[in-house]
Amino acid sequence: MILLGTLVNAIAIIAGALLGRLLSGIPESIRKTVMQGIGLAIVLLGIKMSLETQNFLLVILSIVIGSILGELIGIESGLNKLGQWLESKMGGRSQGSIATGFVTTTLVYCIGAMAVLGAMDSGLRNNHEILYTKAMLDGFSAIIFSSTLGIGVLFSAVPVFLYQGAIALLSTQIYNFVSQETLDAMLVEVTAVGGLMIIAIGINILELKKINVANMLPALAIAAIGVPLIRWLSV
């Protein structure tokens, strides 16, 4: 079953979010310090990912072009509106709490090498080990996120399932278009671009500055397309 790993990942997020709500009585000082620690860890992860690039110019161009496209489309605004709609249906008492938890964790869980590589491995080899590992990590982090950001974390399971599921299904056809060497190069640059966005998420969590990370999402597609395009132009 190609989507098994993705399904397990989504269930782990839901379970972690529900468990995290039971821990919502944690004192505010502890919750704040925990979130700061998570923010720092996310920044470190993003730095590690971004340093893997073999073409720094492509990373810059991907971020610039992707950000322009994202702003024109209004991805961040759309996600926030969806989160606020969920909040209105849930009757959230804390203004913006569901929207904040939903947007933040959706980005954290969807941006990254494990989400892409794991979903592709599910599609290409029907191997779900990477997504099973990601499910454990996401489940544990969902406990922390939910206890600090609220029940909005639970709803991030839906875009995670749709995103990773789409990659898994599309990857079954990927070798019809690119070679293994080109695919490996694409993953390196997508990981690097994703790393910059992970850093931005960490900055948001640390409340150093508000960055519209969701509007940068098209940069991942630009980086993926840019690798074979550069190779074709250099021939």
Side-chain angles (χ1 to χ4, degrees):
M1 181 180 174
I2 293 177
L3 297 180
L4 180 60
T6 295
L7 181 61
V8 170
N9 197 168
I11 292 174
I13 292 172
I14 293 172
L18 292 174
L19 182 57
R21 293 309 297 150
L22 300 177
L23 304 176
S24 58
I26 297 175
E28 179 62 28
S29 59
I30 295 179
R31 292 166 60 182
K32 183 177 181 180
T33 302
V34 168
M35 285 305 297
Q36 288 174 337
I38 291 175
L40 290 172
I42 288 176
V43 168
L44 180 60
L45 173 63
I47 292 173
K48 180 177 180 295
M49 290 169 58
S50 61
L51 290 177
E52 294 184 15
T53 182
Q54 300 298 314
N55 191 330
F56 189 63
L57 180 59
L58 176 60
V59 172
I60 295 175
L61 288 175
S62 298
I63 288 291
V64 171
I65 297 173
S67 296
I68 293 173
L69 291 175
E71 287 289 343
L72 292 174
I73 297 171
I75 300 175
E76 182 96 11
S77 175
L79 282 175
N80 276 314
K81 287 179 180 177
L82 178 57
Q84 289 163 6
W85 177 81
L86 290 171
E87 187 164 7
S88 67
K89 295 300 181 182
M90 292 288 293
R93 296 179 180 178
S94 178
Q95 182 64 32
S97 61
I98 290 181
T100 300
F102 170 72
V103 174
T104 299
T105 52
T106 293
L107 293 171
V108 169
Y109 296 147
C110 287
I111 298 174
M114 292 188 78
V116 177
L117 291 174
M120 290 185 67
D121 212 21
S122 290
L124 292 171
R125 300 190 299 152
N126 203 27
N127 186 332
H128 310 295
E129 290 184 4
I130 296 177
L131 287 186
Y132 289 158
T133 302
K134 181 176 182 290
M136 288 189 291
L137 295 173
D138 290 354
F140 282 118
S141 64
I143 296 174
I144 303 299
F145 278 126
S146 182
S147 66
T148 53
L149 295 178
I151 197 61
V153 174
L154 183 148
F155 298 105
S156 66
V158 176
V160 167
F161 180 81
L162 295 175
Y163 173 73
Q164 292 180 180
I167 292 176
L169 293 174
L170 289 172
S171 65
T172 60
Q173 306 297 319
I174 197 167
Y175 285 134
N176 294 330
F177 303 99
V178 298
S179 65
Q180 181 65 55
E181 182 183 0
T182 300
L183 178 59
D184 291 340
M186 289 168 64
L187 290 175
V188 168
E189 301 310 325
V190 168
T191 297
V193 172
L196 287 181
M197 285 185 269
I198 289 289
I199 293 173
I201 293 170
I203 291 174
N204 283 344
I205 291 176
L206 292 170
E207 298 181 347
L208 298 177
K209 185 174 181 62
K210 178 64 175 71
I211 300 176
N212 294 330
V213 185
N215 287 341
M216 298 179 182
L217 285 174
L220 296 173
I222 299 299
I225 296 170
V227 171
L229 181 60
I230 291 174
R231 293 191 170 207
W232 179 72
L233 291 174
S234 62
V235 172

